[in-house]
Amino acid sequence: MAEDTSTVKTAPEVEQKPEATKAKRGKKGKRVVPAGEVHIQATFNNTIVSVTNKKGEVLAASSAGANGFRGSKKGTAYAAQIAAEKVAEIAKRDHAMSSVDVFVKGIGLGRDSAIRAFSTLGITINSITDKTPIAHGGCRPKGERKP
């Protein structure tokens, strides 16, 4: 009834790769995106400008509020121009962007000035599309209850 403890089964040894052969994953380099999209949301209170690639992944974004404008000054055309210039500079410097399609949403004062800011920095504008939602009154309401 004595158990044989001299033969203990162990897991098969797995070959370990030496630490020197493992490649360290460093910070990814900046992506080169020659053509992209600019999304401008212009409200009465603020203007938000985002630069994306063709898939819609955001590369850079800025707003009038992020550039130090407060209160009613955020809704001005000048604040939208400053926000667009900052985003355009980042897109041109870090991602080598040279041409964009512009999508504008909203009815704020910064619509035109944000678009002009991109063209003055030497970025070619291929198309301008207005994506402002239009109110239509909604679907037909449910009928009144009959007696």
Side-chain angles (χ1 to χ4, degrees):
M1 233 166 133
E3 291 182 25
D4 187 15
T5 57
S6 62
T7 57
V8 178
K9 290 185 179 180
T10 59
E13 288 189 29
V14 180
E15 290 184 29
Q16 296 284 335
K17 290 183 181 178
E19 291 296 319
T21 59
K22 284 188 180 178
K24 280 193 173 182
R25 283 186 114 2
K27 187 176 177 183
K28 288 184 181 178
K30 297 287 185 180
R31 289 182 282 187
V32 175
V33 183
E37 297 177 351
V38 176
H39 296 269
I40 301 169
Q41 183 180 3
T43 65
F44 289 123
N45 294 323
N46 203 356
T47 303
I48 302 169
V49 183
S50 303
V51 175
T52 67
N53 60 8
K54 290 291 185 182
K55 286 192 231 173
E57 299 167 345
V58 177
L59 303 173
S62 184
S63 67
N67 286 307
F69 293 95
R70 292 284 168 246
S72 60
K73 290 185 176 73
K74 286 194 298 184
T76 61
Y78 178 68
Q81 178 186 344
I82 297 297
E85 284 174 358
K86 185 175 181 183
V87 170
E89 187 64 38
I90 293 169
K92 197 169 183 181
R93 181 186 67 223
D94 293 347
H95 304 289
M97 192 166 288
S98 58
S99 66
V100 293
D101 296 320
V102 178
F103 297 94
V104 184
K105 190 176 197 176
I107 52 174
L109 300 172
R111 292 166 53 104
D112 298 333
S113 61
I115 295 169
R116 283 197 189 100
F118 273 90
S119 62
T120 56
L121 285 172
I123 296 176
T124 307
I125 296 173
N126 297 330
S127 66
I128 299 171
T129 308
D130 192 2
K131 295 283 191 177
T132 305
I134 300 169
H136 59 84
C139 59
R140 184 175 176 268
K142 200 172 177 182
E144 197 174 315
R145 192 175 170 133
K146 295 180 177 73

